[in-house]
């Protein structure tokens, strides 16, 4: 009988070594240890054995049963561990930041070149003691034209093709429009402060005109104004030169021409050498090699009066920087329409923060 038990034990060990899944192991367990299992069957003949034989067989049979149970328990836990590892390998979740939270194709945003330049210019003017002001996009005829010395019948109104709102007359007797320039903030700014003061006002402006490489219907300007006692054209030129030097980080060629704007007297056009073609002539500068960048002048007495300032006591200068043109000059952009295009191939080239 001991022989039979040992044989059964050996065959059990052989059979279990081939098994890989839990149900098979549990089946094998009942094949050997179950009520009608192989070991029980062998032990049935124990009733025919002598007491001496029983004494001998008993411990052997118990040991074999225990060993089989141990082997089965060990096998089951091995299989369980293997299954867990396989599951983990299949549903791999990496909770470290670099590999999982940061998706591999995630793109970083950046600031639009207009924003970069606007922030840079604001910093330059802030360091020269200027305030930064804002104003409404929807303006009245008064602030956009009349207060700036452009009455209703003035031919200068035709210089700026305007988007008018449909309202006939608003309550103040003013028609509404989308501001055609940031000069609207000149009078608003003067009305709410006492001289001496200096401020800039960057913002979007709107013109109803045909677009081309250097014209957009929606674009950006940056207005500037300084009012005080005994301010001269020399002050104006100094501030303009200083600003351009800081922006371009080098001396750029400029030229000053007389220019006509109803709100300044005398008025000037400050041109810079076209930085896209370096003065050779291209579509941006309309082949002349120069770009109108900074119209400016000494504030007209009527404009000071509209702002509540006595022109016999105070004077000042004003300028209107074409921000988009400046962006184009600084980065060598050949078509203004790229700025508004929303094209990521364009935008993603400016990734400074
Ligand atoms: N507002 C003018 C325009 O959009 C630009 C301008 C010219 C602004 C002369 C000024 C200035 O402040 O002095 O065409």
């Amino acid at each position: 009988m001991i022989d039979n038990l040992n044989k059964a034990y050996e065959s059990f060990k052989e059979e279990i070594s081939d098994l890989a899944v839990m149900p098979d192991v549990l089946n094998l367990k009942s094949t050997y240890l179950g009520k009608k299992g192989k070991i029980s069957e062998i032990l049935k003949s124990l009733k025919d054995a002598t007491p001496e034989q029983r004494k001998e067989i008993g411990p052997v049979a118990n040991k074999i049963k225990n060993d089989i149970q141990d082997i089965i328990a060990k096998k089951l836990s091995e299989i369980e561990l293997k299954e867990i590892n396989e599951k983990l390998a299949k549903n791999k979740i990496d909770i470290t930041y670099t590999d999982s939270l940061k998706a591999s194709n995630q793109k970083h945003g950046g600031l639009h070149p207009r924003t970069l330049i606007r922030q840079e210019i604001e910093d330059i003017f802030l360091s020269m003691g200027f305030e930064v002001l804002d104003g409404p996009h929807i303006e009245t005829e008064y602030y956009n034209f009349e207060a700036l010395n452009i009455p209703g019948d003035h031919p200068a109104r035709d210089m700026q093709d305007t988007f008018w709102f449909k309202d006939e007359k608003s309550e103040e007797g003013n028609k509404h429009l989308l501001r055609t320039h940031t000069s609207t903030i000149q009078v608003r700014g003067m009305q709410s402060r006492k001289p001496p003061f200096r401020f800039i006002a960057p913002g979007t402006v709107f013109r109803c005109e045909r677009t081309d490489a250097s014209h957009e219907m929606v674009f950006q300007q940056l207005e500037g104004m300084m009012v005080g006692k005994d301010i001269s054209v020399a002050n104006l030129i100094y501030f303009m030169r200083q600003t351009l030097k800081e922006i371009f980080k080098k001396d750029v060629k400029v030229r000053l021409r007389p220019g006509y704007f109803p709100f300044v007297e005398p008025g000037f056009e400050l041109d810079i050498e076209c930085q896209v073609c370096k003065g050779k002539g291209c579509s941006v500068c309309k082949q002349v090699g120069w770009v109108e960048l900074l119209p400016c002048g000494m504030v007209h007495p009527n404009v000071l009066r509209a702002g509540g300032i006595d022109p016999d006591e105070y004077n000042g200068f004003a300028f209107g920087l074409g921000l988009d043109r400046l962006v184009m000059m600084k980065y060598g952009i050949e078509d203004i329409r790229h700025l508004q295009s929303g094209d990521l191939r364009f935008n993603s080239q400016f990734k400074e923060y």
Side-chain angles (χ1 to χ4, degrees):
M1 198 187 288
I2 289 182
D3 257 8
N4 285 345
L5 284 173
N6 279 333
K7 264 189 210 151
Y9 182 43
E10 288 307 315
S11 72
F12 164 79
K13 285 202 282 190
E14 217 168 275
E15 281 184 61
I16 199 165
S17 68
D18 292 338
L19 302 184
V21 291
M22 285 202 197
D24 290 352
V25 177
L26 295 172
N27 276 341
L28 191 71
K29 185 180 173 185
S30 70
T31 309
Y32 281 85
L33 298 182
K35 263 192 191 158
K36 289 184 180 161
K38 288 186 181 172
I39 302 292
S40 312
E41 289 298 323
I42 297 170
L43 292 178
K44 265 185 194 162
S45 48
L46 204 57
K47 61 181 186 315
D48 306 325
T50 63
E52 283 76 32
Q53 278 173 326
R54 281 192 202 168
K55 253 191 206 162
E56 207 186 325
I57 295 166
V60 175
N62 277 338
K63 184 168 184 312
I64 287 178
K65 268 194 197 170
N66 287 341
D67 283 356
I68 289 178
Q69 253 155 1
D70 286 350
I71 292 172
I72 285 174
K74 204 172 145 217
K75 185 78 179 181
L76 286 175
S77 70
E78 268 172 28
I79 293 176
E80 192 180 23
L81 191 70
K82 207 176 118 215
E83 284 179 356
I84 289 173
N85 282 337
E86 276 171 8
K87 247 189 216 162
L88 284 177
K90 233 191 258 165
N91 312 323
K92 193 175 166 198
I93 299 173
D94 186 339
I95 55 159
T96 57
Y97 171 72
T98 43
D99 286 351
S100 64
L101 288 184
K102 188 182 129 216
S104 57
N105 63 351
Q106 191 174 0
K107 299 234 166 57
H108 287 279
L111 294 179
H112 194 279
R114 270 173 177 162
T115 314
L116 291 170
I117 293 232
R118 205 191 65 220
Q119 289 178 345
E120 196 180 332
I121 298 179
E122 282 179 9
D123 284 346
I124 294 168
F125 277 101
L126 282 167
S127 74
M128 295 194 287
F130 283 71
E131 290 174 75
V132 180
L133 306 189
D134 200 4
H137 288 174
I138 298 176
E139 262 297 3
T140 57
E141 199 176 352
Y142 176 75
Y143 283 111
N144 200 86
F145 292 122
E146 270 156 39
L148 291 167
N149 201 30
I150 317 173
D153 53 359
H154 199 288
R157 287 213 178 184
D158 297 339
M159 285 163 73
Q160 302 183 350
D161 294 309
T162 310
F163 285 111
W164 292 96
F165 281 84
K166 278 208 174 123
D167 55 353
E168 278 306 306
K169 288 272 173 202
S170 71
E171 277 166 21
E172 321 90 73
N174 267 316
K175 277 175 81 172
H176 285 91
L177 48 85
L178 289 176
R179 70 177 177 198
T180 58
H181 51 182
T182 45
S183 303
T184 51
I185 304 165
Q186 285 192 18
V187 175
R188 287 184 177 277
M190 284 190 280
Q191 284 175 336
S192 53
R193 28 189 68 61
K194 287 206 173 343
F197 55 78
R198 45 185 108 167
F199 58 77
I200 56 165
T204 308
V205 299
F206 310 83
R207 302 258 176 106
C208 179
E209 59 188 4
R210 274 181 55 191
T211 58
D212 60 29
S214 52
H215 292 89
E216 256 289 14
M217 285 194 270
V218 180
F219 57 101
Q220 311 266 315
Q221 289 186 335
L222 184 136
E223 196 75 11
M225 185 173 218
M226 179 167 177
V227 172
K229 285 196 170 162
D230 303 323
I231 291 178
S232 67
V233 175
N235 296 132
L236 166 66
I237 293 173
Y238 169 80
F239 276 106
M240 298 303 97
R241 275 246 168 89
Q242 199 61 21
T243 309
L244 291 172
K245 201 169 161 179
E246 297 254 12
I247 293 168
F248 287 98
K249 312 269 185 278
K250 61 171 186 190
D251 276 320
V252 278
K253 270 198 203 156
V254 298
R255 68 176 188 188
L256 200 63
R257 298 179 283 128
Y260 172 70
F261 303 95
F263 29 94
V264 280
E265 180 57 41
F268 307 100
E269 286 280 9
L270 194 145
D271 303 340
I272 68 163
E273 187 185 65
C274 180
Q275 302 293 301
V276 176
C277 61
K278 301 281 178 264
K280 287 195 199 78
C282 67
S283 63
V284 174
C285 60
K286 302 218 181 77
Q287 315 304 330
V288 291
W290 294 92
V291 174
E292 284 179 15
L293 188 69
L294 238 170
C296 51
M298 302 305 290
V299 184
H300 194 286
N302 286 348
V303 179
L304 287 170
R305 262 182 226 114
I309 290 168
D310 181 358
D312 294 329
E313 212 181 329
Y314 297 102
N315 68 346
F317 66 74
F319 58 89
L321 183 70
L323 256 191
D324 286 351
R325 295 231 172 121
L326 188 63
V327 173
M328 293 167 77
M329 291 300 109
K330 171 136 185 195
Y331 291 107
I333 298 166
E334 81 302 348
D335 194 318
I336 194 172
R337 291 166 291 195
H338 288 312
L339 296 177
Q340 214 107 264
S341 65
D343 188 336
L344 285 178
R345 288 170 304 179
F346 171 78
N347 290 352
S348 61
Q349 294 175 55
F350 310 90
K351 276 196 174 162
E352 301 164 41
Y353 285 91

